Amino acid sequence: MPLVNLNELFDPTRERRAVGLFNVAGLEFAEAMIEVAEELNTPIILGVPERFFQFSRLENVVRLCVDMAERARVPVAVHLDHGKSFDNILRALRNGVSSVMFDGSSLPYEENVARTAEIVRIAHTMGVSVEGELGYVGRGDFDPTDPSFYTNPEQAADFVAKTGVDALAIAVGTAHGIYKTTPKLDFERLKSIRQKVDVALVLHGGSGVSDEDFQKAIACGIDKINVFTEISVSVIKTVSEATSNCSDWIRVTGEMRRTIANVVRHYMTVFNTGLDHDCDL
Ligand code: 13P
């Protein structure tokens, strides 16, 4: 199966299912994720988070993922997640990613438009898809009561028209990391964005969202869902338990891999069953 970009993953007839992006934080992550995708015969997106490059070389992580994707039995996209640095985006492109995110969500609107459009112009010459972000899916700083965090539907249409992005990350009530209170998704806003925007819509901050809300979000127009924290928390728990009575790291990696596979399998199954739900508001 070839390495694919995001446009090759989304069904233009908008069959209601979403493709999962799972962040890679090491070899075991990528291997377990592709194994589950093959087992379920479902496409997958390996997300390479820019913040991981504080610890591992971009070239090593990207090439590892690209090589594994090219040998997978299902379509796999390798996507730079939350790219903020122009240099990192160019290095990721040079090393073979099939998709990049430029996260200009904390920039003033016009600057976000200009910088995203520039990345789109470069990436599209290489057949690489681009995801932009509008609104602000924060981490600990997300305030669900503050309307300025949320994506404005009219502005989303303007952003897509001016930048030419293939996918748009929107803020409709989710945030990255562990939620302090149960997330409450703004389905009305999501539906309104879907009506005005024709590119793939992306839900970040998937960990902690209920299965029912995922399926409703998919029915209302979400095409791609990003998950990491839930995998991270489960891996940390597994490793701390496994290392309390074992000093063989190779065995621990086996336990890690099983844990990653179990979490990813659950999400991929939920994302594939969006068809049964309506976007009834
Ligand atoms: P979580 O870590 O909250 O699941 O979010 C992942 C994400 O959105 C990566 O872009």
Side-chain angles (χ1 to χ4, degrees), residues 87-108:
D87 285 5
N88 281 341
I89 290 174
L90 291 191
R91 280 166 67 200
L93 290 172
R94 204 167 53 229
N95 284 280
V97 291
S98 59
S99 187
V100 294
M101 174 184 191
F102 172 66
D103 178 358
S105 60
S106 51
L107 299 172

Side-chain angles (χ1 to χ4, degrees), residues 90-279:
L90 291 191
R91 280 166 67 200
L93 290 172
R94 204 167 53 229
N95 284 280
V97 291
S98 59
S99 187
V100 294
M101 174 184 191
F102 172 66
D103 178 358
S105 60
S106 51
L107 299 172
Y109 179 67
E110 293 304 337
E111 196 180 340
N112 188 5
V113 168
R115 291 185 56 189
T116 306
E118 187 183 12
I119 304 290
V120 169
R121 200 158 42 81
I122 298 166
H124 280 184
T125 64
M126 305 170 79
V128 170
S129 52
V130 179
E131 174 181 331
E133 178 166 326
L134 190 64
Y136 181 65
V137 182
R139 193 162 279 274
D141 53 353
F142 173 70
D143 176 1
T145 63
D146 180 348
S148 71
F149 278 92
Y150 291 80
T151 306
N152 172 304
E154 280 77 29
Q155 201 177 50
D158 185 66
F159 185 84
V160 169
K162 285 182 174 155
T163 59
V165 286
D166 306 282
L168 183 66
I170 55 172
V172 289
T174 57
H176 299 103
I178 294 172
Y179 288 95
K180 292 182 200 126
T181 54
T182 308
K184 199 170 170 330
L185 272 67
D186 185 345
F187 292 107
E188 192 85 56
R189 183 180 299 268
L190 165 56
K191 200 172 175 188
S192 167
I193 297 169
R194 176 74 288 161
Q195 281 161 356
K196 291 182 169 56
V197 166
D198 198 28
V199 298
L201 295 179
V202 184
L203 189 72
H204 281 245
S207 305
V209 174
S210 70
D211 294 353
E212 200 188 338
D213 277 356
F214 276 135
Q215 293 181 337
K216 191 163 171 193
I218 295 166
C220 292
I222 287 293
D223 299 284
K224 166 176 176 277
I225 301 175
N226 288 16
V227 174
F228 179 59
T229 299
E230 183 70 33
I231 303 171
S232 175
V233 168
S234 304
V235 166
I236 289 168
K237 185 164 177 282
T238 296
V239 170
S240 55
E241 281 167 11
T243 50
S244 68
N245 57 11
C246 165
S247 55
D248 178 359
W249 181 250
I250 292 178
R251 267 186 50 200
V252 176
T253 65
E255 306 258 339
M256 263 172 76
R257 194 188 307 240
R258 248 190 308 282
T259 295
I260 296 163
N262 288 340
V263 178
V264 170
R265 187 180 297 107
H266 169 77
Y267 282 111
M268 286 186 88
T269 306
V270 172
F271 299 165
N272 266 323
T273 46
L275 264 181
D276 301 336
H277 291 254
D278 289 330
C279 180

